[in-house]
Each structure stands twice: as C-alpha cells, then as structure tokens.
Amino acid sequence: MSDRRLNGAATAGAHLDLSSSRAVHGIIDAPVATAPSAASIDPVLEDLLSFHPGWVTRSVTTHDPSGGNDDGYRAGVALEGEHRVLFHARGEGRITRIWMTAPRAELDKPDQELWIEIDGHTVFRGSPHDFFEGRGPWRSPLALGIDASSGAFTSYVPFAWSSEAKVRFRGVPIYYQVTYREGPGAASGPTPEALARFMAEDWTAALPARSHHQGPGPGAPLVLATGPATVSGLDLLIPAGRLKDLRVRIGGQAPVPASFFFGLASTGAEADGGWTPFRSALHAAWAPDASGAGRLATRLPIPLAEGEALSLEIAEGGEIKGIEAAVPLAPARPGVRLLARYSDQEAPGRETTMPFFESDEPLQFVALLEHISGGRLGDRLYLEGDEMIRTDGMSYPLQIGTGTEDYYNGGFYFIGAHSNPFSGQLRFLVLDPEDSWRNARFEHSLYRLHVADPIVSRSGMRFGMEAGPTGAYTPLRVRSLGLSYAFADHRVIGEQKVRARGPRRLARSAVDAERAAPRRRFRLREGRGITRIEVQRPPDARGLLLLRAYSAEKAPQTARVRLDGREVGVIHEMLANPVRPLAEDALWIDMLPGERGGDKRPVLEIDATSSPAPWSEVSYTLRFFSGPPAPQLTQGPAVKIFDAHDLPGGPFYVNDHSILQLPDGRWILTGIFRREPYRSDLEREFVLATAPGPGPERWIEAASPSFSMAPERFAARALADERWIWAPHVARDRDGSLVMVFHVGTHDPDRSGFRMARSRDGIHWAREGGTLFEDICVARDPILVRLGDLWVIYYTRCASRASPRSGVAYRTSPDLARWSPPAMALTLGPETAMPNSGHTESPFVFERKGWFYLTFTSYPVDYDATFVHRSRSPFAFPPRPIARLRAHAAEWVAEGGDFDKGRLFFTHAGAGKGGVFLQELFGL
C-alpha cells in the first residue's frame, strides 16, 4: 500500500467563526462551518473508511468445542509427520494475527518449530521464540514476545495468499489463535513495512496547536466540528480530575464517556482516581502537568455528515472551565459513520454472553475498550470469559475465543500493566492486596484495536463476551465501548433460502458457542458432487452473500463456487467438531450486470467433487445487496510528457513502459524503445528518461513534455541470449531498492522468459539472477505488485495450449526468487483465442476504494482499445469489462501515490505515437 498522507493540516477550533456561527461566553451554540483541506489521515486508517464486503473475518482457536471452558489444543486440523497443522486455508486470504501461549516450561522446551507456508513457499521456519521475539525477519511491534505481550506470543505480521496458506507447529502450543480473513479481496492490506511504521511512529508529534475554550457547561455542549467533514483526530487539554464528567457525542448518537473514547487514561472509578500516561496506535495520554491539566489525543477518523456535530458535554450538574482543543479536519466521507456504542452492565449470572456491540448495518469493527471491576474476593476467573463474534445474522460465531486476556493478547491473566500499539492492559489494580490477595478485588482497563484486523459484516454484527468460564460468573461490573464504521451504500434487498435436497440424515447439535445453547434437530446431506441453485436475484442486486449451514463433524471440506460458470471463490473448512457439529460459513459474490437482468436466471454451482472429506449441507441462504453503481468513466485531454519522435536519430517510439517516483521527488520512465518503423522482434533497449517532481497533475497543467532522456539513455539492453526484451515494470522493494521485471524473447514461444534487474537510484541498473520462470503463448508484459508479504507478477498469457483463449496470468512469490505455478486472474471467451494472447496485452492492476482494477489492451479490437475490469479480488476478474478507454499499453499513476483518493492518471504509448502521453481519468 502506498503512503497516502497529504502535506499540511487544517484545524478548526471550537471557538472559530468561519461563517455564521456565534460564540457566546466562549461556548458555541451553533454549528461551526468548516472548510476541510489538507489534514492528514494515515493510509492504514484510510483503508478502514472504505467498505470491504468481500472480507469474511474469522479465527481458528483452541476453544472448548463443547461450549465450556476446557480450552486447549486437541486434534487441530491434521498431523503431518512430527508437525501439527494449526491453520490451513484455501482460496484467497490474509492472516492478520497469530497468538499463542502455554505454561512457560512448555514454551521453553527445545526443538519446537513454527512453520508458515504461503502459496507453497515457506516464509518462516524456525524457533517460535525467534519469530515472536524479533530474531526472525520481523521485529517489534509486528512481533511481540511474552514479556512485551504480557504472557503470550503475538504477531501482527500480515501473511497474504492467493491459493493456500498453512501454519504448522512442532511441539504442543496448548493455546493458540489465528485471526484471518478470506474471500474476494481478502489478501489486500498494508505491507509489513507500512503496518510497522504505523504501529511504531510517534503520531502525536504532528498534532496541530490547540485553541482555548471556556466550556462546556450545564446544558451547553462545546461543538468541536460540524459536517460535512472528517475529523482526523482530537487533542484535548482538560483538568485531569474532571475527565470522569466529560462526554463525547457524535451526531445523534448517545454520548459516551470521554475516558473510554480517548483510550481509558482514567476510568473515573471509585477505586481509581489516577491517570495513566500511555500511547497506542490510536490513543495517547500524558501525565497531568503542575496545574493538574491532563492531555488526551486520538487519531481515529470521525466522519461527519451534513449538519452532524462532534461535541463535548458535561455530566449533569457539572462544568469544566477551560479546555484546550485541536480538531484537524479532512474532506467529508459521504455514506460513512463512526458508531460509538457504550455499555455499563452487570454480569447476567447465567451461561450466556454479555452484549458489547450490536448493529444491523454493514460495518467494520475497529476497537473495543473495556473496564472490569467488582469481582469476587481473591478471584479472577472472570478472565476466562470467551469472546463470541457473530456476523450477518449467523447463529454460529466465526470468531470464538479462549479467554478474555487472550482476546487482549495476554496470557494467564497477564503479567501486569502494559501498553502496545494494538492492545494492552493500561491498569491492573489490586485492592486490599494483603494476605496473598485472598481478600483482594481487582480492576482491569483493557483495549484491543482492530486496525490491522477489522471485523467485517455486511448485514449486522453481535459482539458478546462471557463473564467467566461459561458466562455465569457474578458479581461483575463491565463497562465497554465498541467503535465501528458503518456504510450506507450496501443494504439487504432480498433473500432466498434453499434447503438441501435428496437423501438426508437426521442429526442433533447445539451451536458451538454458549454452554447453555439448546440442541437442535437438523437434516443434512453429505457427499462429493455439485449443488446447483437457480438464483432468484432482485433486479438491483449488486452483491450476493452465500451463507451455508452445515455439519462440521468431518473435515476438511472444500468446494469451488461458480456463478454462471464464473469462478467466484472457494469455501474451505479446516476444523472438525464432532461434539457440536452444527456450523455456518459465508462467501461474498459481486454480481455483474449480465447476472442481474434478463429472463434467464443465473445458476450458482457449489462444486465439492474434490472435497477431502464429504461436503455437508443443511441449507443455504442467498442474501442480496444493493450497492454503488458501476462507475461511468471519462478521460481528459492527452498531453505528451515524453517526446521520442524528435530525438536525434529518430523518429523513435516507446511502447510498453513503466513510470515511478524516486525518493528525492524525481520521476523515471523506462520502456521499450526503438526507431520507427515498428519491429517488435528488434526491440532490444529500454529507454531511461527523467522528470522533476511533483508529478502528473503539474504535467497536465504544463501541457508540454516534462520528461527528457537521462544522460545514461538506457536502463537496459538485451544480452546475447535475449532475442528481444519487452515491457519493463519497476516496483520498490522492501529495502528501498528498485526492482525491474521484464520479458525476454526466446526461439520457443512456449518458453518465454522473465528476468529481473535492480537499482538503488533508478538510474544505474544491474541484472540480478537468471530466468525467474518461463511460460507459454509468448507470455509477456509483466507487472509486479505487493500484497502484504506476497509479491505478485501479472502477465499476458493464454489459458492453455489446448485452449489458447487470451488471458492474464499471475504467479506469487515470498522473495522474488521462488515463484508459484501460474494461475489465471482473467480468461476471455473463445472468440479471443490466439497463439499470443493478443487480446490481453499490457495488463496493469491497482486497488482503489475497495476494488481491484485490471486494464489491458486488445490490439485485435483496436490498437487503442484498453478495457477496464474490476473485482473485489486481485486474483479473479470477471470477463466482462466495465469500460473501454482510448489508450495503448496504459500505465496508472495517482496524485501523491494515493490510489484511494488522489486524482487518477494513465500514461500510454505505442508505435507511431511519437512518445508517451498522459491523461486524467474521471469517474473512478
């Protein structure tokens, strides 16, 4: 993910009169009109403001399958030699968190080994101590040892995969959790470097100056900002002792205690009048100064709709004299809201969960803050309570925990107070600690930030947690705040229920969750075959959520899912539960225009013919969603940014090319370069041109060439064994160096090669290694991108020798050296069959606003015919385009590198064009 921060900041103080708002005695009684400009939202947080309906967020844990408290490792997924398989997934996905613990003596046993395999390649194999304690490829804060994580190993290293992922362990991990997401688009997210930077940076250093305000007072809230705008953070200075009286209100929602909203610096509890300095990835508090003023800050974005206000209120009968506040503003985000749900409840005294967050809206859950108090003397069994997170109306929780402290990334009731970027126990109070804590009561202030692993639900969520081992622990007081972004563009518009048909057998089971859940009778069908469902979709449906109820008695179960013959995903269940087998799972499917209209109903196929264990079916629910319409794209006027026609010795042409900005602000352009007329078999040089910053928006304004030949003239020339070289693409490696991948010509069209070069400055290039891989159908035109720790090369290739339909293939790699076998990201129809896959030349893939876009040129249609396809997944694009552009060999750049929000441009070139051109794209 590129760094999408903008320079500068806009700040609105609550006293500021930017239009017609009035200040009366220092307290605003009218909304503040704001003019958002350039306030910065970190790109990791930006990603939370876009909805990801394709993500099905889950966890596999060692919870007690009977619904009790006998957590701990059992059979796992499988046993492979001396290794236990802790996790196994198929399809597309991303591991977002690995947590594990055991008694210290068990953890320290020799010869234990953690083995992580992604798309068939080992990305780590070695000591778990080395992995979590920073002696492997990843350091803190991505990987945390027992002392840092207060009793457990914790990793936020993102592991993305396109087809398969597996985590093995030699030894007995006792307790573990792997949090992950699966489904279309699930592999996307920040790289390890971007995530580590976000977690470790001192974000408080960039907060703007605060302004002084008089209130709030009784019945007179202090309005900090009004929409339309996005508050990109808050920085307050208040009398520390009055924090317990302060409330934060977002729009028409109920107010929430400011102590929770700012990360629990102080709870205001009777036994805790103190104040805890800390800094997490979202919240911060500083020790009160000599005057007793305490400082609090958050950088959690708060979108505000038209007329919606963010305000501070005081508890009834109170008043705070003198608050300093800074409220940086960013542009409004239509259709996005921050839900803040606070609860103060006593444990229910029965075997169930306490509700922490409930909503029926499409959402992404981002944080839970919790304060626990009031337990029994000398007893902390309440920390045995498991979280149970249900999404999309399911009875089965796709995330079931193994203990409250485990959810907060600790272990064995924590080592003590601590603060980490995404989780911590800010406060552990022992009241009456004498007599070995036998008469003590305890208080805990806990937080878990789901920034790297947001919990996604398309049609509502229920987040509950048990009080104690089975939920029946009393007495206990629990105060909590759940934070989530809700999205207005996706709404349920219909539902279709289908029960399994054919021979079925009767079974009984409770859902694997609360201990007291009643057993249900259900009929299920088992086997290996293809289930076909005629889809009764509403005309306006743009998305479909497929929900399956099944029996998990046997595992693993796997099925490929197709809609009208189009591959739309994989359902793979890794764990067996013969004790309580009734379970549910889900898959999101984007529906295309041809699948939403006409008289013929589309057919959904669940193909389990290759399932290792018999595929089981109780019923299916097809839930249909509205959504934003397909974009209407237009392209602006073309500006020549590199003139190859008038170069000495010319005219020359540039064809497949690549463009990239260097760290010093300059830009480089490299591409196929040859003197006219066009002869692809004689293209043996890559031109090297440079341009000063800032970038494409200025090049459009200049309306004249900005690039000129570098003194070095060429980035690469063909070697003796290379008949030609084509289509260089340049990307930035983890160490900051630049990597170029390109095609090399061979005598055998079914053994086209791909090679690599590297540069530290973008100017001087050196070949690295030999041939990366070879492929069929004059495979060519590579583009190199990163998804988490996964490298992906996309390139032009036909479907197979037997079926030479034009398509785009991809391969994945953990290290740019070992590459997976080819898979097809796109295959067009039989009318595109050609020996060289000519309908899908010059592919380019980028992500924007929750969608992946694939563009390519189809020269048999027209030399300037570039088609645009989009998908939730970077590994599966539908064959029907959403638009056609006038361009050849298009490459894409965004203003400031921000593909989510920045202005979008594409360059294009080709024989007879005389150089490279730039155009802006509108509507995406």
Side-chain angles (χ1 to χ4, degrees):
M1 179 180 293
S2 58
D3 189 339
R4 298 184 287 216
R5 288 177 292 180
L6 302 176
N7 295 323
T11 305
H15 72 297
L16 217 54
D17 187 351
L18 297 180
S19 60
S20 59
S21 51
R22 308 188 311 276
V24 180
H25 302 301
I27 300 173
I28 289 201
D29 63 351
V32 177
T34 60
S37 56
S40 171
I41 297 177
D42 189 279
V44 174
L45 295 174
E46 282 278 5
D47 202 38
L48 299 176
L49 298 173
S50 296
F51 192 42
H52 302 278
W55 295 0
V56 177
T57 47
R58 310 189 59 172
S59 64
V60 54
T61 74
T62 54
H63 74 278
D64 183 349
S66 69
N69 193 48
D70 187 17
D71 302 318
Y73 186 84
R74 289 176 178 79
V77 180
L79 187 64
E80 296 183 358
E82 58 183 357
H83 288 85
R84 303 171 189 272
V85 179
L86 308 186
F87 173 84
H88 185 202
R90 295 186 182 276
E92 178 188 346
R94 180 179 174 108
I95 293 174
T96 54
R97 168 182 171 262
I98 300 175
W99 171 95
M100 61 175 57
T101 194
R104 195 66 179 252
E106 188 71 39
L107 288 174
D108 291 338
K109 283 184 177 179
D111 299 325
Q112 293 191 103
E113 184 177 70
L114 179 67
W115 182 5
I116 303 174
E117 192 175 46
I118 301 296
D119 284 345
H121 297 297
T122 294
V123 296
F124 180 84
R125 186 172 184 178
S127 161
H129 279 278
D130 288 347
F131 177 86
F132 291 102
E133 293 168 0
R135 294 185 294 276
W138 302 278
R139 307 286 188 270
S140 174
L142 287 179
L144 302 172
I146 289 174
D147 293 333
S149 198
S150 197
F153 291 142
T154 303
S155 163
Y156 277 101
V157 178
F159 295 107
W161 66 88
S162 65
S163 59
E164 185 175 19
K166 190 175 285 190
V167 178
R168 302 176 179 90
F169 195 90
R170 187 173 64 212
V172 183
I174 310 294
Y175 308 105
Y176 75 86
Q177 301 180 5
V178 180
T179 306
Y180 66 105
R181 56 181 179 245
E182 60 186 9
S188 66
T191 64
E193 294 84 0
L195 191 58
R197 174 200 54 75
F198 173 82
M199 297 172 76
E201 68 184 351
D202 182 5
W203 56 272
T204 65
L207 293 172
R210 297 182 303 276
S211 300
H212 183 79
H213 312 287
Q214 188 67 29
L222 176 63
V223 178
L224 299 175
T226 58
T230 299
V231 176
S232 62
L234 285 176
D235 183 15
L236 297 183
L237 190 69
I238 68 168
R242 302 306 306 275
L243 177 60
K244 64 181 184 299
D245 299 323
L246 193 63
R247 306 286 184 268
V248 177
R249 186 187 291 270
I250 305 173
Q253 300 182 61
V256 303
S259 58
F260 281 77
F261 194 81
F262 285 95
L264 287 170
S266 176
T267 64
E270 294 77 12
D272 175 25
W275 183 287
T276 303
F278 78 99
R279 189 179 78 224
S280 72
L282 288 185
H283 304 105
W286 291 258
D289 60 23
S291 69
R295 184 183 172 194
L296 304 163
T298 179
R299 61 168 167 173
L300 183 68
I302 308 170
L304 299 174
E306 178 78 38
E308 200 171 37
L310 173 67
S311 57
L312 298 179
E313 300 178 0
I314 196 71
E316 186 176 351
E319 185 173 9
I320 298 180
K321 295 182 178 179
I323 284 182
E324 293 186 11
V327 191
L329 299 177
R333 301 302 171 92
V336 186
R337 301 164 55 228
L338 177 64
L339 304 181
R341 302 287 168 82
Y342 173 75
S343 67
D344 184 347
Q345 57 188 311
E346 298 290 331
R350 56 191 178 90
E351 292 180 333
T352 186
T353 55
M354 293 180 291
F356 281 1
F357 187 95
E358 295 190 5
S359 173
D360 60 0
E361 299 182 71
L363 56 84
Q364 289 172 172
F365 188 84
V366 296
L368 180 69
L369 302 103
E370 181 181 4
H371 184 77
I372 303 173
S373 61
R376 304 172 196 151
L377 295 178
D379 184 2
R380 285 187 289 166
L381 280 175
Y382 48 80
L383 290 175
E384 296 288 344
D386 302 336
E387 80 274 9
M388 299 182 190
I389 304 172
R390 297 170 174 88
T391 57
D392 296 297
M394 285 186 268
S395 299
Y396 178 79
L398 291 182
Q399 297 197 38
I400 314 176
T402 56
T404 299
E405 82 274 36
D406 305 349
Y407 168 77
Y408 289 105
N409 288 329
F412 296 100
Y413 300 174
F414 304 107
I415 295 174
H418 64 287
S419 176
N420 283 322
F422 287 157
S423 62
Q425 178 176 229
L426 286 180
R427 192 174 294 98
F428 172 50
L429 298 180
V430 183
L431 312 179
D432 299 322
E434 295 80 8
D435 199 17
S436 301
W437 291 7
R438 279 195 289 268
N439 293 309
R441 283 193 173 91
F442 311 93
E443 294 193 10
H444 307 259
S445 295
L446 306 163
Y447 66 90
R448 167 91 179 267
L449 309 180
H450 289 270
V451 175
D453 56 342
I455 303 167
V456 178
S457 184
R458 292 132 292 267
S459 49
M461 179 178 120
R462 289 187 294 145
F463 189 140
M465 191 173 287
E466 294 174 319
T470 62
Y473 184 103
T474 57
L476 194 70
R477 182 188 182 191
V478 179
R479 291 180 289 164
S480 64
L481 174 64
L483 297 169
S484 175
Y485 289 107
F487 301 86
D489 284 343
H490 294 77
R491 286 290 180 269
V492 177
I493 57 173
E495 193 168 271
Q496 177 184 351
K497 292 186 178 293
V498 179
R499 292 204 172 273
R501 296 180 179 178
R504 295 179 294 166
R505 66 178 176 89
L506 182 65
R508 290 179 175 85
S509 170
V511 173
D512 185 6
E514 285 96 338
R515 182 179 178 85
R519 297 179 72 198
R520 306 178 187 175
R521 296 177 58 183
F522 61 97
R523 292 188 178 275
L524 68 104
R525 182 177 65 181
E526 292 178 307
R528 295 178 180 88
I530 299 177
T531 298
R532 293 179 174 86
I533 301 172
E534 192 175 84
V535 179
Q536 302 171 8
R537 75 279 180 260
D540 296 331
R542 293 190 169 89
L544 162 62
L545 182 67
L546 175 65
L547 297 162
R548 175 181 69 134
Y550 71 101
S551 170
E553 183 177 357
K554 302 170 185 175
Q557 299 181 30
T558 303
R560 304 193 68 84
V561 183
R562 295 183 289 268
L563 183 60
D564 268 1
R566 173 170 64 97
E567 296 279 347
V568 293
V570 176
I571 299 175
H572 177 78
E573 293 299 340
M574 67 186 85
L575 280 177
N577 184 353
V579 180
R580 286 185 167 189
L582 183 58
E584 295 171 289
D585 53 24
L587 176 70
W588 173 266
I589 301 168
D590 281 304
M591 303 195 75
L592 304 177
E595 293 161 343
R596 299 197 303 266
D599 297 329
K600 185 179 178 181
R601 290 176 175 174
V603 174
L604 187 71
E605 292 182 323
I606 299 99
D607 184 350
T609 53
S610 300
S611 181
W615 180 258
S616 68
E617 301 167 317
V618 176
S619 64
Y620 292 97
T621 299
L622 283 66
R623 190 168 297 151
F624 301 96
F625 290 79
S626 63
Q632 302 297 313
L633 306 185
T634 57
Q635 54 193 100
V639 172
K640 181 182 281 190
I641 60 172
F642 177 56
D643 188 348
H645 184 275
D646 293 331
L647 291 173
F652 296 92
Y653 67 84
V654 177
N655 205 345
D656 297 80
H657 61 288
S658 183
I659 183 170
L660 186 74
Q661 189 172 27
L662 301 176
D664 63 6
R666 292 178 302 144
W667 291 75
I668 60 167
L669 184 154
T670 185
I672 297 173
F673 187 73
R674 202 192 107 73
R675 194 175 188 278
E676 299 279 10
Y678 173 66
R679 280 287 302 273
S680 62
D681 59 327
L682 297 179
E683 294 170 342
R684 297 178 56 82
E685 295 172 325
F686 294 155
V687 71
L688 184 62
T690 62
E697 60 276 13
R698 293 289 178 87
W699 304 338
I700 289 285
E701 295 170 3
S704 61
S706 300
F707 280 85
S708 59
M709 290 280 283
E712 294 77 8
R713 292 182 60 82
F714 301 109
R717 283 189 166 98
L719 301 180
D721 67 334
E722 297 170 344
R723 298 186 67 193
W724 56 75
I725 55 174
W726 291 343
H729 185 264
V730 180
R732 188 169 286 108
D733 201 352
R734 300 177 177 95
D735 62 1
S737 65
L738 302 181
V739 179
M740 177 196 296
V741 293
F742 55 95
H743 157 99
V744 296
T746 63
H747 290 280
D748 185 348
D750 286 334
R751 295 194 63 184
S752 292
F754 292 80
R755 293 184 177 175
M756 188 170 74
R758 190 178 294 271
S759 172
R760 286 286 171 184
D761 58 6
I763 304 299
H764 304 91
W765 293 86
R767 300 296 188 97
E768 185 169 283
T771 299
L772 300 178
F773 54 83
E774 297 177 337
D775 217 329
I776 63 174
C777 301
V778 197
R780 63 196 182 279
D781 302 350
I783 170 178
L784 177 65
V785 300
R786 264 186 80 189
L787 294 170
D789 248 13
L790 192 71
W791 288 103
V792 186
I793 284 184
Y794 298 90
Y795 57 97
T796 300
R797 201 200 82 161
C798 65
S800 66
R801 290 187 181 93
S803 177
R805 293 178 294 163
S806 296
V808 175
Y810 70 89
R811 297 176 186 242
T812 66
S813 171
D815 54 12
L816 296 175
R818 298 167 293 164
W819 291 93
S820 69
M824 299 303 293
L826 170 85
T827 302
L828 298 181
E831 71 280 1
T832 67
M834 296 179 68
N836 70 343
S837 191
H839 282 272
T840 51
E841 285 197 328
S842 308
F844 194 99
V845 175
F846 64 93
E847 183 182 7
R848 185 173 176 89
K849 299 177 182 176
W851 291 91
F852 288 89
Y853 290 87
L854 165 65
T855 67
F856 54 79
T857 297
S858 180
Y859 77 79
V861 175
D862 191 278
Y863 191 73
D864 281 347
T866 286
F867 291 96
V868 182
H869 296 243
R870 75 171 183 173
S871 172
R872 295 289 181 189
S873 170
F875 304 116
F877 289 87
R880 285 186 289 276
I882 63 168
R884 174 177 169 176
L885 304 177
R886 297 185 308 279
H888 179 85
E891 298 281 308
W892 294 83
V893 291
E895 181 182 18
D898 185 351
F899 274 92
D900 255 4
K901 296 189 305 178
R903 293 165 63 186
L904 195 59
F905 303 86
F906 62 96
T907 58
H908 53 95
K913 301 292 184 179
V916 180
F917 294 81
L918 176 74
Q919 291 182 261
E920 186 168 3
L921 186 78
F922 301 96
L924 197 59

